[in-house]
Amino acid sequence: MKDFKKYFAVAAPPEEVYAALTNPATIQLWSGEKAEMSTEPGSEFSLWEESIVGKNLEFEEGRKIVQEWYFGEDSDENPSIVTIILHPSKKGTDVELRHTNIPDEAFDDITEGWIDQYWGAIIDFYKE
């Protein structure tokens, strides 16, 4: 199992970035795919036609999201936790991403996905 931590800058205020991560209609705008998402702790979510599935654990509106991502059988013993913290900045939002317990065999795909498809798409969505 591996951990991943990275910072991103988004040219939008934290409230808008938070909506882009939690509102199914906004997720569909930047991802191009339908999403199942709720800000209800304990609810399950699905992105990119169930390529990413998991459970929402914690929310602080406009500031923080904590999720458990499912990776098959090992998820019960070693949950893979995603924590996204949004910090206001002069140019919009600084994003701190931490993803723990990523299975070794999925690490390269997951980290590339975070950088290119997930945050790359959000950053492009908010470019001026």
Side-chain angles (χ1 to χ4, degrees), residues 94-108:
D94 289 334
V95 178
E96 177 183 336
L97 166 71
R98 283 188 324 237
H99 192 165
T100 63
N101 289 332
I102 302 169
D104 293 345
E105 66 276 5
F107 186 79
D108 290 341

mmCIF file with all atom_site columns, all heavy atoms in Angstrom, residues 94-108:
data_model
loop_
_atom_site.group_PDB
_atom_site.id
_atom_site.type_symbol
_atom_site.label_atom_id
_atom_site.label_alt_id
_atom_site.label_comp_id
_atom_site.label_asym_id
_atom_site.label_entity_id
_atom_site.label_seq_id
_atom_site.pdbx_PDB_ins_code
_atom_site.Cartn_x
_atom_site.Cartn_y
_atom_site.Cartn_z
_atom_site.occupancy
_atom_site.B_iso_or_equiv
_atom_site.pdbx_formal_charge
_atom_site.auth_seq_id
_atom_site.auth_comp_id
_atom_site.auth_asym_id
_atom_site.auth_atom_id
_atom_site.pdbx_PDB_model_num
ATOM 1   N N   . ASP A 1 94  ? -6.146 26.932 -3.180  1.00 0.00 ? 94  ASP A N   1
ATOM 2   C CA  . ASP A 1 94  ? -5.069 25.959 -3.110  1.00 0.00 ? 94  ASP A CA  1
ATOM 3   C C   . ASP A 1 94  ? -5.665 24.681 -2.548  1.00 0.00 ? 94  ASP A C   1
ATOM 4   O O   . ASP A 1 94  ? -6.369 24.714 -1.531  1.00 0.00 ? 94  ASP A O   1
ATOM 5   C CB  . ASP A 1 94  ? -3.928 26.454 -2.208  1.00 0.00 ? 94  ASP A CB  1
ATOM 6   C CG  . ASP A 1 94  ? -3.148 27.590 -2.856  1.00 0.00 ? 94  ASP A CG  1
ATOM 7   O OD1 . ASP A 1 94  ? -3.125 27.675 -4.096  1.00 0.00 ? 94  ASP A OD1 1
ATOM 8   O OD2 . ASP A 1 94  ? -2.552 28.391 -2.112  1.00 0.00 ? 94  ASP A OD2 1
ATOM 9   N N   . VAL A 1 95  ? -5.404 23.581 -3.210  1.00 0.00 ? 95  VAL A N   1
ATOM 10  C CA  . VAL A 1 95  ? -5.979 22.291 -2.840  1.00 0.00 ? 95  VAL A CA  1
ATOM 11  C C   . VAL A 1 95  ? -4.875 21.391 -2.304  1.00 0.00 ? 95  VAL A C   1
ATOM 12  O O   . VAL A 1 95  ? -3.827 21.245 -2.926  1.00 0.00 ? 95  VAL A O   1
ATOM 13  C CB  . VAL A 1 95  ? -6.639 21.614 -4.061  1.00 0.00 ? 95  VAL A CB  1
ATOM 14  C CG1 . VAL A 1 95  ? -7.201 20.246 -3.686  1.00 0.00 ? 95  VAL A CG1 1
ATOM 15  C CG2 . VAL A 1 95  ? -7.701 22.506 -4.671  1.00 0.00 ? 95  VAL A CG2 1
ATOM 16  N N   . GLU A 1 96  ? -5.146 20.792 -1.156  1.00 0.00 ? 96  GLU A N   1
ATOM 17  C CA  . GLU A 1 96  ? -4.242 19.788 -0.586  1.00 0.00 ? 96  GLU A CA  1
ATOM 18  C C   . GLU A 1 96  ? -4.952 18.442 -0.699  1.00 0.00 ? 96  GLU A C   1
ATOM 19  O O   . GLU A 1 96  ? -6.046 18.258 -0.170  1.00 0.00 ? 96  GLU A O   1
ATOM 20  C CB  . GLU A 1 96  ? -3.974 20.123 0.876   1.00 0.00 ? 96  GLU A CB  1
ATOM 21  C CG  . GLU A 1 96  ? -3.116 19.133 1.597   1.00 0.00 ? 96  GLU A CG  1
ATOM 22  C CD  . GLU A 1 96  ? -2.956 19.491 3.068   1.00 0.00 ? 96  GLU A CD  1
ATOM 23  O OE1 . GLU A 1 96  ? -3.101 20.670 3.444   1.00 0.00 ? 96  GLU A OE1 1
ATOM 24  O OE2 . GLU A 1 96  ? -2.708 18.546 3.852   1.00 0.00 ? 96  GLU A OE2 1
ATOM 25  N N   . LEU A 1 97  ? -4.339 17.519 -1.416  1.00 0.00 ? 97  LEU A N   1
ATOM 26  C CA  . LEU A 1 97  ? -4.900 16.181 -1.617  1.00 0.00 ? 97  LEU A CA  1
ATOM 27  C C   . LEU A 1 97  ? -4.024 15.162 -0.917  1.00 0.00 ? 97  LEU A C   1
ATOM 28  O O   . LEU A 1 97  ? -2.811 15.142 -1.118  1.00 0.00 ? 97  LEU A O   1
ATOM 29  C CB  . LEU A 1 97  ? -4.962 15.857 -3.117  1.00 0.00 ? 97  LEU A CB  1
ATOM 30  C CG  . LEU A 1 97  ? -5.216 14.381 -3.463  1.00 0.00 ? 97  LEU A CG  1
ATOM 31  C CD1 . LEU A 1 97  ? -6.648 13.987 -3.131  1.00 0.00 ? 97  LEU A CD1 1
ATOM 32  C CD2 . LEU A 1 97  ? -4.895 14.112 -4.914  1.00 0.00 ? 97  LEU A CD2 1
ATOM 33  N N   . ARG A 1 98  ? -4.631 14.320 -0.083  1.00 0.00 ? 98  ARG A N   1
ATOM 34  C CA  . ARG A 1 98  ? -3.935 13.173 0.511   1.00 0.00 ? 98  ARG A CA  1
ATOM 35  C C   . ARG A 1 98  ? -4.764 11.928 0.232   1.00 0.00 ? 98  ARG A C   1
ATOM 36  O O   . ARG A 1 98  ? -5.959 11.909 0.507   1.00 0.00 ? 98  ARG A O   1
ATOM 37  C CB  . ARG A 1 98  ? -3.798 13.359 2.027   1.00 0.00 ? 98  ARG A CB  1
ATOM 38  C CG  . ARG A 1 98  ? -2.723 14.320 2.426   1.00 0.00 ? 98  ARG A CG  1
ATOM 39  C CD  . ARG A 1 98  ? -2.498 14.305 3.930   1.00 0.00 ? 98  ARG A CD  1
ATOM 40  N NE  . ARG A 1 98  ? -3.744 14.117 4.658   1.00 0.00 ? 98  ARG A NE  1
ATOM 41  C CZ  . ARG A 1 98  ? -4.214 14.949 5.574   1.00 0.00 ? 98  ARG A CZ  1
ATOM 42  N NH1 . ARG A 1 98  ? -3.544 16.007 5.916   1.00 0.00 ? 98  ARG A NH1 1
ATOM 43  N NH2 . ARG A 1 98  ? -5.344 14.708 6.189   1.00 0.00 ? 98  ARG A NH2 1
ATOM 44  N N   . HIS A 1 99  ? -4.126 10.902 -0.296  1.00 0.00 ? 99  HIS A N   1
ATOM 45  C CA  . HIS A 1 99  ? -4.795 9.630  -0.570  1.00 0.00 ? 99  HIS A CA  1
ATOM 46  C C   . HIS A 1 99  ? -3.928 8.534  0.043   1.00 0.00 ? 99  HIS A C   1
ATOM 47  O O   . HIS A 1 99  ? -2.798 8.328  -0.386  1.00 0.00 ? 99  HIS A O   1
ATOM 48  C CB  . HIS A 1 99  ? -4.964 9.432  -2.075  1.00 0.00 ? 99  HIS A CB  1
ATOM 49  C CG  . HIS A 1 99  ? -5.869 8.310  -2.432  1.00 0.00 ? 99  HIS A CG  1
ATOM 50  N ND1 . HIS A 1 99  ? -6.394 8.161  -3.693  1.00 0.00 ? 99  HIS A ND1 1
ATOM 51  C CD2 . HIS A 1 99  ? -6.356 7.279  -1.709  1.00 0.00 ? 99  HIS A CD2 1
ATOM 52  C CE1 . HIS A 1 99  ? -7.157 7.081  -3.724  1.00 0.00 ? 99  HIS A CE1 1
ATOM 53  N NE2 . HIS A 1 99  ? -7.132 6.519  -2.531  1.00 0.00 ? 99  HIS A NE2 1
ATOM 54  N N   . THR A 1 100 ? -4.441 7.845  1.050   1.00 0.00 ? 100 THR A N   1
ATOM 55  C CA  . THR A 1 100 ? -3.678 6.829  1.767   1.00 0.00 ? 100 THR A CA  1
ATOM 56  C C   . THR A 1 100 ? -4.123 5.420  1.378   1.00 0.00 ? 100 THR A C   1
ATOM 57  O O   . THR A 1 100 ? -5.240 5.210  0.908   1.00 0.00 ? 100 THR A O   1
ATOM 58  C CB  . THR A 1 100 ? -3.824 6.994  3.293   1.00 0.00 ? 100 THR A CB  1
ATOM 59  O OG1 . THR A 1 100 ? -5.197 6.793  3.653   1.00 0.00 ? 100 THR A OG1 1
ATOM 60  C CG2 . THR A 1 100 ? -3.377 8.371  3.750   1.00 0.00 ? 100 THR A CG2 1
ATOM 61  N N   . ASN A 1 101 ? -3.215 4.462  1.602   1.00 0.00 ? 101 ASN A N   1
ATOM 62  C CA  . ASN A 1 101 ? -3.495 3.040  1.379   1.00 0.00 ? 101 ASN A CA  1
ATOM 63  C C   . ASN A 1 101 ? -3.984 2.732  -0.034  1.00 0.00 ? 101 ASN A C   1
ATOM 64  O O   . ASN A 1 101 ? -4.981 2.031  -0.218  1.00 0.00 ? 101 ASN A O   1
ATOM 65  C CB  . ASN A 1 101 ? -4.502 2.504  2.414   1.00 0.00 ? 101 ASN A CB  1
ATOM 66  C CG  . ASN A 1 101 ? -3.892 2.397  3.787   1.00 0.00 ? 101 ASN A CG  1
ATOM 67  O OD1 . ASN A 1 101 ? -2.686 2.213  3.930   1.00 0.00 ? 101 ASN A OD1 1
ATOM 68  N ND2 . ASN A 1 101 ? -4.718 2.533  4.813   1.00 0.00 ? 101 ASN A ND2 1
ATOM 69  N N   . ILE A 1 102 ? -3.256 3.231  -1.010  1.00 0.00 ? 102 ILE A N   1
ATOM 70  C CA  . ILE A 1 102 ? -3.553 2.893  -2.401  1.00 0.00 ? 102 ILE A CA  1
ATOM 71  C C   . ILE A 1 102 ? -2.852 1.567  -2.691  1.00 0.00 ? 102 ILE A C   1
ATOM 72  O O   . ILE A 1 102 ? -1.651 1.437  -2.458  1.00 0.00 ? 102 ILE A O   1
ATOM 73  C CB  . ILE A 1 102 ? -3.016 3.979  -3.359  1.00 0.00 ? 102 ILE A CB  1
ATOM 74  C CG1 . ILE A 1 102 ? -3.616 5.343  -3.023  1.00 0.00 ? 102 ILE A CG1 1
ATOM 75  C CG2 . ILE A 1 102 ? -3.298 3.593  -4.809  1.00 0.00 ? 102 ILE A CG2 1
ATOM 76  C CD1 . ILE A 1 102 ? -2.938 6.506  -3.753  1.00 0.00 ? 102 ILE A CD1 1
ATOM 77  N N   . PRO A 1 103 ? -3.580 0.567  -3.182  1.00 0.00 ? 103 PRO A N   1
ATOM 78  C CA  . PRO A 1 103 ? -2.923 -0.705 -3.505  1.00 0.00 ? 103 PRO A CA  1
ATOM 79  C C   . PRO A 1 103 ? -1.773 -0.491 -4.486  1.00 0.00 ? 103 PRO A C   1
ATOM 80  O O   . PRO A 1 103 ? -1.875 0.310  -5.424  1.00 0.00 ? 103 PRO A O   1
ATOM 81  C CB  . PRO A 1 103 ? -4.047 -1.531 -4.138  1.00 0.00 ? 103 PRO A CB  1
ATOM 82  C CG  . PRO A 1 103 ? -5.313 -0.936 -3.599  1.00 0.00 ? 103 PRO A CG  1
ATOM 83  C CD  . PRO A 1 103 ? -5.022 0.529  -3.445  1.00 0.00 ? 103 PRO A CD  1
ATOM 84  N N   . ASP A 1 104 ? -0.673 -1.191 -4.258  1.00 0.00 ? 104 ASP A N   1
ATOM 85  C CA  . ASP A 1 104 ? 0.535  -1.034 -5.089  1.00 0.00 ? 104 ASP A CA  1
ATOM 86  C C   . ASP A 1 104 ? 0.224  -1.149 -6.582  1.00 0.00 ? 104 ASP A C   1
ATOM 87  O O   . ASP A 1 104 ? 0.708  -0.351 -7.388  1.00 0.00 ? 104 ASP A O   1
ATOM 88  C CB  . ASP A 1 104 ? 1.594  -2.077 -4.713  1.00 0.00 ? 104 ASP A CB  1
ATOM 89  C CG  . ASP A 1 104 ? 2.149  -1.855 -3.315  1.00 0.00 ? 104 ASP A CG  1
ATOM 90  O OD1 . ASP A 1 104 ? 1.941  -0.764 -2.746  1.00 0.00 ? 104 ASP A OD1 1
ATOM 91  O OD2 . ASP A 1 104 ? 2.794  -2.781 -2.798  1.00 0.00 ? 104 ASP A OD2 1
ATOM 92  N N   . GLU A 1 105 ? -0.593 -2.150 -6.944  1.00 0.00 ? 105 GLU A N   1
ATOM 93  C CA  . GLU A 1 105 ? -0.871 -2.395 -8.359  1.00 0.00 ? 105 GLU A CA  1
ATOM 94  C C   . GLU A 1 105 ? -1.724 -1.296 -8.989  1.00 0.00 ? 105 GLU A C   1
ATOM 95  O O   . GLU A 1 105 ? -1.779 -1.153 -10.205 1.00 0.00 ? 105 GLU A O   1
ATOM 96  C CB  . GLU A 1 105 ? -1.523 -3.771 -8.563  1.00 0.00 ? 105 GLU A CB  1
ATOM 97  C CG  . GLU A 1 105 ? -2.909 -3.912 -7.956  1.00 0.00 ? 105 GLU A CG  1
ATOM 98  C CD  . GLU A 1 105 ? -2.926 -4.281 -6.481  1.00 0.00 ? 105 GLU A CD  1
ATOM 99  O OE1 . GLU A 1 105 ? -1.858 -4.347 -5.835  1.00 0.00 ? 105 GLU A OE1 1
ATOM 100 O OE2 . GLU A 1 105 ? -4.033 -4.506 -5.957  1.00 0.00 ? 105 GLU A OE2 1
ATOM 101 N N   . ALA A 1 106 ? -2.407 -0.484 -8.172  1.00 0.00 ? 106 ALA A N   1
ATOM 102 C CA  . ALA A 1 106 ? -3.259 0.596  -8.692  1.00 0.00 ? 106 ALA A CA  1
ATOM 103 C C   . ALA A 1 106 ? -2.594 1.968  -8.576  1.00 0.00 ? 106 ALA A C   1
ATOM 104 O O   . ALA A 1 106 ? -3.116 2.946  -9.111  1.00 0.00 ? 106 ALA A O   1
ATOM 105 C CB  . ALA A 1 106 ? -4.586 0.601  -7.933  1.00 0.00 ? 106 ALA A CB  1
ATOM 106 N N   . PHE A 1 107 ? -1.433 2.045  -7.915  1.00 0.00 ? 107 PHE A N   1
ATOM 107 C CA  . PHE A 1 107 ? -0.845 3.339  -7.565  1.00 0.00 ? 107 PHE A CA  1
ATOM 108 C C   . PHE A 1 107 ? -0.599 4.237  -8.783  1.00 0.00 ? 107 PHE A C   1
ATOM 109 O O   . PHE A 1 107 ? -1.004 5.403  -8.796  1.00 0.00 ? 107 PHE A O   1
ATOM 110 C CB  . PHE A 1 107 ? 0.453  3.148  -6.775  1.00 0.00 ? 107 PHE A CB  1
ATOM 111 C CG  . PHE A 1 107 ? 1.030  4.440  -6.274  1.00 0.00 ? 107 PHE A CG  1
ATOM 112 C CD1 . PHE A 1 107 ? 0.518  5.048  -5.141  1.00 0.00 ? 107 PHE A CD1 1
ATOM 113 C CD2 . PHE A 1 107 ? 2.071  5.065  -6.951  1.00 0.00 ? 107 PHE A CD2 1
ATOM 114 C CE1 . PHE A 1 107 ? 1.028  6.249  -4.673  1.00 0.00 ? 107 PHE A CE1 1
ATOM 115 C CE2 . PHE A 1 107 ? 2.598  6.258  -6.493  1.00 0.00 ? 107 PHE A CE2 1
ATOM 116 C CZ  . PHE A 1 107 ? 2.067  6.859  -5.352  1.00 0.00 ? 107 PHE A CZ  1
ATOM 117 N N   . ASP A 1 108 ? 0.062  3.720  -9.819  1.00 0.00 ? 108 ASP A N   1
ATOM 118 C CA  . ASP A 1 108 ? 0.379  4.550  -10.980 1.00 0.00 ? 108 ASP A CA  1
ATOM 119 C C   . ASP A 1 108 ? -0.885 5.065  -11.668 1.00 0.00 ? 108 ASP A C   1
ATOM 120 O O   . ASP A 1 108 ? -0.972 6.241  -12.032 1.00 0.00 ? 108 ASP A O   1
ATOM 121 C CB  . ASP A 1 108 ? 1.254  3.788  -11.984 1.00 0.00 ? 108 ASP A CB  1
ATOM 122 C CG  . ASP A 1 108 ? 2.665  3.561  -11.462 1.00 0.00 ? 108 ASP A CG  1
ATOM 123 O OD1 . ASP A 1 108 ? 3.086  4.271  -10.517 1.00 0.00 ? 108 ASP A OD1 1
ATOM 124 O OD2 . ASP A 1 108 ? 3.353  2.667  -11.987 1.00 0.00 ? 108 ASP A OD2 1
#
